[in-house]
Amino acid sequence: AQKITQTQPGMFVQEKEAVTLDCTYDTSDQSYGLFWYKQPSSGEMIFLIYQGSYDEQNATEGRYSLNFQKARKSANLVISASQLGDSAMYFCAILNFGNEKLTFGTGTRLTIIP
Amino acid sequence: DSGVTQTPKHLITATGQRVTLRCSPRSGDLSVYWYQQSLDQGLQFLIQYYNGEERAKGNILERFSAQQFPDLHSELNLSSLELGDSALYFCASSVDGQYSGNTIYFGEGSWLTVV
């Protein structure tokens, strides 16, 4: 079984500061994928970034980067220069390549303060 | 816009009724996933189809069923609805069910309220 742990239920960050959202995972699979999604209050689930377990370099997508530490089973999301529009729930998820099941964490509610 | 289209966006229905949620995947995507998001259970994987065939099954109730049609759109049927079925139902799609690094994109969800 796979598990995602997000230990920060809520975070308040000043606008323009960098933010790190924590994610640790547990899996017995050798190959897997790690995702971060953003869910604003309107409800849609927006893909942010993906990291494959076999990728040696950390993934980056614009202001988003994924700090992947495989030995620690950690996949933290870093948002640089936070903006008011970044206020949302953020979910970390792991994909089992074998059964195609995407397992989500409980999420972190990020609030950006002007 | 993820390219995944879900209808209806909002639905209110009574207990015991049956509803159908519809999903059109991104152009070129063969794999469709259904997820349920509720306050008490979080995001739960329900079922996955790849090119018309069921590929993986999660915590899907027997009252629920799904299918993927030849044009690759998918429908999730929820029957004998209970109050606890009220949730946000997501459809997601990816290019290849044999996952090799393809991103999974979600639709905007269908809000179901059972009264």
Side-chain angles (χ1 to χ4, degrees):
Chain A
Q2 301 188 116
K3 186 178 179 182
I4 291 282
T5 301
Q6 295 181 254
T7 57
Q8 307 151 310
M11 286 186 71
F12 290 84
V13 173
Q14 204 75 38
E15 189 181 7
K16 297 181 185 176
E17 287 186 354
V19 182
T20 297
L21 303 181
D22 295 340
C23 172
T24 57
Y25 60 91
D26 188 20
T27 181
S28 55
D29 295 335
Q30 293 299 312
S31 296
Y32 48 89
L34 293 157
F35 293 80
W36 277 93
Y37 290 90
K38 172 185 176 182
Q39 187 176 36
S41 56
S42 52
E44 69 264 35
M45 194 69 72
I46 302 167
F47 165 77
L48 295 179
I49 198 166
Y50 165 81
Q51 177 89 40
S53 60
Y54 41 79
D55 293 332
E56 294 188 355
Q57 286 197 322
N58 287 341
T60 59
E61 292 280 354
R63 293 188 299 115
Y64 304 107
S65 61
L66 200 152
N67 184 0
F68 181 48
Q69 298 186 42
K70 192 171 182 178
R72 295 186 176 186
K73 294 192 173 179
S74 164
N76 297 340
L77 176 70
V78 180
I79 307 174
S80 63
S82 58
Q83 302 170 356
L84 295 178
D86 294 333
S87 294
M89 279 289 285
Y90 287 81
F91 290 96
C92 180
I94 186 169
L95 179 72
N96 180 322
F97 283 8
N99 66 18
E100 305 299 326
K101 178 182 172 182
L102 194 60
T103 301
F104 284 84
T106 51
T108 295
R109 181 170 297 282
L110 175 64
T111 303
I112 305 299
I113 305 166
Chain B
D1 182 4
S2 68
V4 180
T5 304
Q6 288 188 247
T7 57
K9 287 189 168 38
H10 298 272
L11 191 57
I12 301 175
T13 190
T15 55
Q17 295 297 306
R18 182 178 188 273
V19 299
T20 297
L21 309 180
R22 194 178 192 277
C23 170
S24 294
R26 283 160 46 96
S27 178
D29 284 1
L30 300 177
S31 199
V32 169
Y33 311 76
W34 286 99
Y35 285 82
Q36 178 195 57
Q37 185 179 29
S38 60
L39 285 174
D40 55 344
Q41 301 257 347
L43 274 153
Q44 298 283 321
F45 168 71
L46 296 178
I47 198 163
Q48 182 215 357
Y49 280 83
Y50 175 72
N51 204 19
E53 298 203 359
E54 184 183 304
R55 174 64 62 85
K57 212 166 188 175
N59 304 321
I60 188 166
L61 300 173
E62 286 191 8
R63 300 184 286 109
F64 297 179
S65 65
Q67 54 183 327
Q68 186 179 27
F69 295 87
D71 66 353
L72 301 178
H73 92 271
S74 178
E75 293 181 356
L76 179 67
N77 300 297
L78 315 174
S79 61
S80 303
L81 285 167
E82 303 174 359
L83 295 177
D85 297 327
S86 295
L88 179 56
Y89 290 85
F90 283 109
C91 171
S93 73
S94 68
V95 170
D96 191 345
Q98 295 297 326
Y99 195 84
S100 58
N102 295 304
T103 300
I104 300 175
Y105 289 95
F106 281 71
E108 294 187 350
S110 292
W111 290 90
L112 173 66
T113 302
V114 182
V115 297

